[in-house]
Amino acid sequence: MPALSSHRKTRSRTGIRAGSPAVGLTTAAIASVTLLSSQSAYAAPRDPKPSVEEVQKKVDDLYRQAGSATEQYNKAKESTDKQRKTVDQVLDQVAARADKVNEARRALGMFATAQYREGAVSGTAALMFSDSPQQFFEQSQLMSRVTDRQQAAVSDFQDQQTAAAEKRAEATKQLATLTASQTSLRTSKVQVQQKLGAARTLLSKLTKEEKARLAALERKKEDEARRKAEAKAKAEARARAEAAKAAKKPAATGSGTGSGTGSTGSSAGSSGGATTGYAAKAAKVLAFARSQIGKPYVWGATGPSSYDCSGLTQAAWRAAGVELPRTTYDQVNVGTRVATDDLLPGDLVFFYDDISHVGIYIGDGMMIHAPKPGANVREESIYYMPIYGSVRPA
């Protein structure tokens, strides 16, 4: 039977050719959507540029945070230095104990050698080769054969081993503490660098006009602080004049009791002597501080070529024979707390709620301090920063 011819027509392909007008329109539409999307993305609102006042506030806050981190660094460094000394001492003690253990071991060896020459392996020799000396000593029948002299050597060996083990354990503990202190030191150092870097970045983005505006704001802040200092200077001058006037008045005389007069005189003399003694120390403090004016602030520095705030106060009071702690957190707890109205030259004035800054009061509302990175040791009004409190160190 002949094959039937197919009546099915071949279906023509209806796909759009690459060069057809429809493809061109579609491509153009996609490109338009993409362009509009890109423009929309670029047109998204950006964060407004901070004002100069906002930059000033932010930079001041970053410097304050850097100051706080600096004091934490100082504390960690002080702890690390002390811990390193302790570790060195303990390691020396471990070495000394090891020497004593070796001496005790040699003593036991001499007994073992002597007994070996006599032709017998004694209990002392067995002890030397024993894996567990404690189990060995529990064998009472062996101990009964050890002479008194040998027993003393064995006891000494045991004692030295125990002492050496205790010192090794102490050294391990101290090394762990040292490692923790070093970690804290590194963390504080990174925090300081980050805060200072952020402040520098903010300042670097200011235009010439904005920098001029920022400088004007700083001058305004300084002028306000100076006016407050001048008012305090006048108040202190009045107080001194009144004190001098009172001192010139003739002492009251009368029929008062001798004991009462003597008591009052003794008290006044004691108070006057204490004030005079403090003034003498303060004079040395101020002389040292003034000689450091112009030297740069460097965080973590204690002199002699640069200082941070607490490094300067510590060095100044050391010149007067008084040793202060390293950090502001500890210095604020030294001596006697005094009110701002009662400040005397030489007193320490602390700033901010986190006690991250300190200066040396010189009188008339002014202080000498190491201000911040990029600045030098200088005189400045104590009202330039918010006062936390003040102390009289000695």
Side-chain angles (χ1 to χ4, degrees), residues 107-109 111-112 115 122-129 136 142 146 150 154:
L108 288 177
F111 287 121
Q115 291 177 351
S122 68
T124 304
L127 171 63
M128 292 296 295
F129 300 107
F136 176 83
L142 178 62
V146 180
Q150 290 172 322
V154 169

Side-chain angles (χ1 to χ4, degrees), residues 225-269:
R226 189 178 299 110
R227 282 194 294 271
K228 291 182 179 180
E230 290 171 353
K232 181 168 176 56
K234 291 178 181 178
E236 290 181 0
R238 286 194 298 269
R240 288 193 296 269
E242 291 173 1
K245 184 177 179 181
K248 291 179 180 179
K249 287 183 178 180
T253 58
S255 57
T257 61
S259 59
T261 303
S263 175
T264 302
S266 175
S267 175

Side-chain angles (χ1 to χ4, degrees), residues 100-101 103-109 111 115 124 127 137 143 145-161:
K100 291 184 177 180
V101 168
E103 290 176 5
R105 193 188 303 276
R106 282 193 293 270
L108 288 177
F111 287 121
Q115 291 177 351
T124 304
L127 171 63
F137 288 124
M143 293 299 295
R145 302 204 307 267
V146 180
T147 65
D148 291 343
R149 187 176 176 188
Q150 290 172 322
Q151 178 64 49
V154 169
S155 297
D156 181 57
F157 179 71
Q158 282 184 298
D159 292 343
Q160 297 302 336
Q161 275 193 322

Side-chain angles (χ1 to χ4, degrees), residues 88-104 106 160 163-164 167-168:
D88 289 343
Q89 291 173 354
V90 172
L91 290 177
D92 288 342
Q93 293 171 0
V94 168
R97 285 295 178 183
D99 289 340
K100 291 184 177 180
V101 168
N102 291 333
E103 290 176 5
R106 282 193 293 270
Q160 297 302 336
K167 283 299 176 184
R168 283 194 296 271

Side-chain angles (χ1 to χ4, degrees), residues 271-332:
S271 176
T275 303
T276 302
Y278 182 76
K281 292 179 180 178
K284 294 179 181 179
V285 171
L286 299 186
F288 178 90
R290 287 193 172 97
S291 68
Q292 309 310 307
I293 290 177
K295 294 183 178 180
Y297 174 102
V298 174
W299 64 273
T302 57
S305 58
S306 58
Y307 298 90
D308 64 17
C309 64
S310 55
L312 176 63
T313 54
Q314 184 187 46
W317 268 98
R318 184 183 293 125
V322 177
E323 192 64 38
L324 295 181
R326 175 64 182 91
T327 69
T328 55
Y329 309 135
D330 294 323
Q331 289 181 6
V332 74

Side-chain angles (χ1 to χ4, degrees), residues 13 19 29 31 47 49 51 59 79 86 127 132 139 147 156 206 209 223 232 254 261-262 329 356-357 368 370-371 376:
R13 297 181 181 274
D47 292 335
K49 184 176 180 179
S51 66
V59 168
S79 176
T86 300
L127 171 63
S132 179
Q139 301 175 14
T147 65
D156 181 57
L206 295 178
E209 292 75 13
D223 289 342
K232 181 168 176 56
T261 303
Y329 309 135
S356 56
H357 193 71
I368 295 175
N376 296 332

